[in-house]
């Protein structure tokens, strides 16, 4: 979030759910890399290009590694490699393809051989589920807040002594403006709401020019 940006709504549950999903997939990819590197007949994956190649087509990468290893053990490979593979404890590999993952192209590999995503991926996930006010929406928000503050001030002037009459006046004002108020959905885990006003209300009023300075 940039300095002075106004967050109207942030869906924390969706952010956590998508982040967990990305991290779980990252763990699955890492476990496959670790398994491949542990085999006695393969060269360790050391670069992100090698990692992506394996994670896209593990069967082919594994088969090529096994064949290269077997070539060092026998003078000529037979047509049927299965008995030879069994004798040299060559494993079977499951077929999968992680390349369709949304952030696959952004994968990185650290010096210890651990896969990771850059912070930009997590920033993108957060931004996807966050509503930030435009300048026009900020102007509308300011005017809506000013309207409500004026209503509260009027109630204080009309009824200097706090009590039932002032409370009744405020309740009537709230009833009048209730369609504009933000109401958090039942069971919602939204956070970061910087306003009492419904986001769709702010958008609608902003598009209609409410609160915008006249040129």
């Amino acid at each position: 979030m940039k300095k002075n940006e106004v967050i109207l709504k942030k869906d924390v549950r969706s952010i956590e759910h998508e982040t967990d999903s990305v991290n779980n997939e990252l763990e699955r990819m890492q476990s496959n890399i670790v398994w491949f590197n542990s085999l006695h007949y393969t060269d360790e994956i050391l670069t992100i290009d090698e990692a992506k190649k394996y994670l896209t087509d593990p069967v082919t990468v594994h088969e090529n590694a096994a064949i290269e290893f077997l070539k060092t053990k026998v003078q000529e490979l037979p047509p049927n490699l299965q008995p030879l593979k069994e004798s040299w404890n060559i494993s079977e590999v499951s077929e999968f393809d992680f390349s369709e993952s949304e952030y696959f192209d952004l994968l990185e590999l650290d010096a210890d051989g651990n896969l990771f995503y850059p912070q930009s991926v997590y920033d993108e996930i957060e931004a996807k589920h966050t509503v930030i006010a435009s300048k026009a929406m900020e102007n509308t928000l300011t005017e809506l807040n000013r309207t409500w503050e004026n209503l509260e001030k009027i109630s204080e002037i009309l009824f200097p002594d706090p009590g039932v009459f002032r409370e009744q006046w405020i309740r009537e004002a709230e009833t009048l403006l209730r369609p504009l108020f933000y109401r958090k959905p039942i069971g919602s885990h939204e956070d970061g709401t910087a306003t009492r006003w419904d986001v769709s209300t702010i958008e609608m009023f902003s598009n209609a020019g409410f609160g915008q300075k006249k040129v």
Side-chain angles (χ1 to χ4, degrees):
M1 178 179 171
K2 298 178 181 178
K3 188 177 180 180
N4 299 326
E5 283 183 333
V6 176
I7 297 178
L8 299 180
K9 185 169 64 175
K10 180 181 290 187
D11 191 337
V12 175
R13 168 164 283 185
S14 293
I15 292 171
E16 290 177 348
H17 178 76
E18 187 166 348
T19 298
D20 287 344
S21 178
V22 166
N23 287 338
N24 288 338
E25 189 169 58
L26 190 63
E27 289 179 7
R28 291 196 298 273
M29 289 189 285
Q30 183 66 45
S31 66
N32 278 285
I33 294 291
V34 170
W35 175 83
F36 182 83
N37 287 343
S38 70
L39 301 176
H40 69 88
Y41 49 88
T42 61
D43 293 330
E44 186 175 0
I45 291 174
L46 298 175
T47 70
I48 190 59
D49 288 339
E50 293 171 346
K52 288 180 178 179
K53 183 176 181 181
Y54 173 70
L55 293 169
T56 299
D57 188 3
V59 173
T60 298
V61 173
H62 175 267
E63 181 69 8
N64 289 340
I67 289 174
E68 290 303 312
F69 170 78
L70 293 175
K71 284 180 179 178
T72 66
K73 302 303 177 182
V74 297
Q75 291 183 346
E76 184 177 349
L77 294 179
N80 182 8
L81 292 178
Q82 192 57 36
L84 193 59
K85 286 181 177 181
E86 292 175 357
S87 66
W88 286 100
N89 195 26
I90 303 298
S91 302
E92 295 292 331
V93 63
S94 300
E95 186 172 357
F96 53 80
D97 182 1
F98 284 102
S99 65
E100 296 300 318
S101 302
E102 184 174 1
Y103 302 106
F104 185 79
D105 289 342
L106 300 176
L107 266 178
E108 297 182 20
L109 192 72
D110 66 20
D112 296 322
N114 297 312
L115 293 168
F116 69 97
Y117 283 119
Q119 183 59 40
S120 61
V121 167
Y122 300 99
D123 292 342
E124 181 178 331
I125 292 172
E126 182 171 355
K128 187 189 305 183
H129 301 287
T130 302
V131 180
I132 296 175
S134 64
K135 186 59 181 177
M137 292 169 71
E138 286 185 31
N139 293 338
T140 294
L141 178 60
T142 297
E143 189 65 18
L144 284 170
N145 287 337
R146 190 179 72 83
T147 298
W148 180 252
E149 289 168 2
N150 283 338
L151 290 173
E152 290 183 315
K153 189 63 178 179
I154 290 172
S155 73
E156 294 172 4
I157 295 171
L158 290 175
F159 309 104
D161 297 324
V164 64
F165 293 109
R166 184 191 292 182
E167 292 174 1
Q168 181 179 349
W169 199 94
I170 287 295
R171 283 199 301 272
E172 290 175 353
E174 286 181 338
T175 299
L176 179 65
L177 298 177
R178 190 168 302 282
L180 312 183
F181 288 161
Y182 174 73
R183 294 180 296 279
K184 190 173 293 187
I186 296 175
S188 171
H189 285 250
E190 292 177 0
D191 191 16
T193 302
T195 172
R196 68 185 295 134
W197 310 102
D198 187 87
V199 173
S200 60
T201 296
I202 298 173
E203 292 174 336
M204 178 175 64
F205 277 41
S206 175
N207 292 336
F210 182 82
Q212 310 309 315
K213 296 179 179 179
K214 303 299 183 182
V215 179

